[in-house]
Amino acid sequence: MTQHQPQPQQFYLTAPTECPYLDNRAERKVFTHLVGNRAPELNDLLTQAGFRRSQNIAYRPACENCNACVSVRILAGEFKMTRSMRRIWKRNQDLIGFANKAEPSSEQYALFHDYLNSRHHNGGMSEMSVLDYAMMVEDSHVNTQIIEYRMRGADTMITGKGEGPLIAAALTDVMGDGVSMVYSFFNPELADRSIGTYIILDHIMRCNALGLPHVYLGYWVNGSAKMHYKTRYKPQEHLTANGWQLTDIAD
């Protein structure tokens, strides 16, 4: 019987484009497709190697003469909240997150659209249509959830769900060694709640409940003020030329 050897994974390199994080820099990415039965296993391996997932694509920076983008993961089991984090956690205890299948809804898109208009109106995602959003959520061959955050209700202890309008949502991959936060968004009118921080804290708790060691936060960009918040969640490891190493950058 003829045996067919598996095809090697193909990787591609993008053309240079303007860097969205640092002025007067150009970015390039190396990427590959995450499709088929091997996609979950491959996503695990590539995430551990510093890749991020967007739909059915795994990518990582491959910029010439720049290594400012550094992969970050939180050591969930050793994490301790700061005093300000404890206040944020307590402030949002009237919220509950429920993990759904990665299926889009019009309510999600409306919140996503409001969030982008408020926080990232000049960003590359600001012109995303309903179809674009649906593809962002649905086009996954790995274990992806969308966690919806709503106010706690009378039946929350029974159903595990919240009630009322959607306040925040997080697209999240569950992997063999942790969870990867793909994208999150929230009601921009509730800035006093620090919901972005709360969502990360909630993912750390979920990771611990699953018995998994890591929460992958994506890239910390050295020199980018808008990415500096990721250094607050400690202990954390950064991916270096010598592998994942514990780091302590001042927040």
Side-chain angles (χ1 to χ4, degrees):
M1 178 170 39
T2 302
Q3 293 186 347
H4 297 281
Q5 295 296 324
Q7 293 295 316
Q9 190 72 24
Q10 299 293 315
F11 289 82
Y12 308 90
L13 187 64
T14 65
T17 58
E18 182 180 355
C19 177
Y21 302 110
L22 300 175
D23 294 335
N24 303 314
R25 302 279 184 95
E27 72 165 359
R28 300 187 77 178
K29 296 175 182 175
V30 60
F31 70 94
T32 190
H33 292 91
L34 290 171
V35 295
N37 294 333
R38 292 186 59 245
E41 175 188 0
L42 183 60
N43 187 48
D44 281 18
L45 292 172
L46 290 177
T47 301
Q48 292 163 12
F51 281 71
R52 293 285 287 164
R53 185 185 69 81
S54 176
Q55 297 178 214
N56 66 1
I57 297 291
Y59 68 90
R60 67 170 295 173
C63 307
E64 298 179 7
N65 305 315
C66 181
N67 57 1
C69 293
V70 179
S71 293
V72 176
R73 67 186 187 188
I74 304 166
L75 301 181
E78 302 174 40
F79 173 77
K80 302 293 183 185
M81 291 190 197
T82 63
R83 183 177 301 175
S84 64
M85 288 175 184
R86 287 195 295 271
R87 288 196 296 267
I88 292 167
W89 182 255
K90 183 177 181 180
R91 174 69 180 88
N92 288 286
Q93 285 306 290
D94 55 348
L95 303 184
I96 184 72
F98 183 77
N100 299 277
K101 292 181 180 179
E103 296 176 349
S105 70
S106 57
E107 187 180 26
Q108 290 169 18
Y109 178 72
L111 181 63
F112 174 75
H113 188 264
D114 289 347
Y115 172 78
L116 290 180
N117 281 344
S118 175
R119 296 296 186 95
H120 305 288
H121 64 277
N122 291 324
M125 301 175 72
S126 60
E127 300 299 323
M128 286 178 64
S129 66
V130 173
L131 180 58
D132 293 330
Y133 174 78
M135 291 295 291
M136 182 180 82
V137 174
E138 289 181 324
D139 194 5
S140 171
H141 292 247
V142 304
N143 183 5
T144 303
Q145 303 173 337
I146 187 155
I147 303 172
E148 294 187 342
Y149 295 87
R150 303 176 189 269
M151 299 296 292
R152 291 181 180 271
D155 295 330
T156 292
M157 293 300 293
I158 300 172
T159 64
K161 298 181 180 181
E163 297 179 0
L166 185 65
I167 291 173
L171 192 63
T172 303
D173 290 344
V174 180
M175 306 183 304
D177 74 328
V179 299
S180 177
M181 299 184 65
V182 178
Y183 197 79
S184 60
F185 51 96
F186 50 86
N187 186 334
E189 296 181 1
L190 301 177
D192 61 319
R193 283 181 171 265
S194 300
I195 292 180
T197 298
Y198 170 74
I199 292 173
I200 295 175
L201 296 175
D202 182 63
H203 276 68
I204 295 170
M205 301 303 174
R206 290 173 181 273
C207 197
N208 282 327
L210 292 169
L212 300 174
H214 304 123
V215 176
Y216 288 87
L217 284 184
Y219 301 116
W220 166 68
V221 184
N222 191 5
S224 173
K226 63 183 179 181
M227 287 293 179
H228 190 67
Y229 74 92
K230 296 184 180 183
T231 63
R232 298 176 58 213
Y233 303 90
K234 301 172 182 178
Q236 65 178 236
E237 292 179 329
H238 289 189
L239 185 58
T240 73
N242 296 315
W244 289 97
Q245 294 190 342
L246 195 65
T247 189
D248 187 15
I249 295 173
D251 53 26

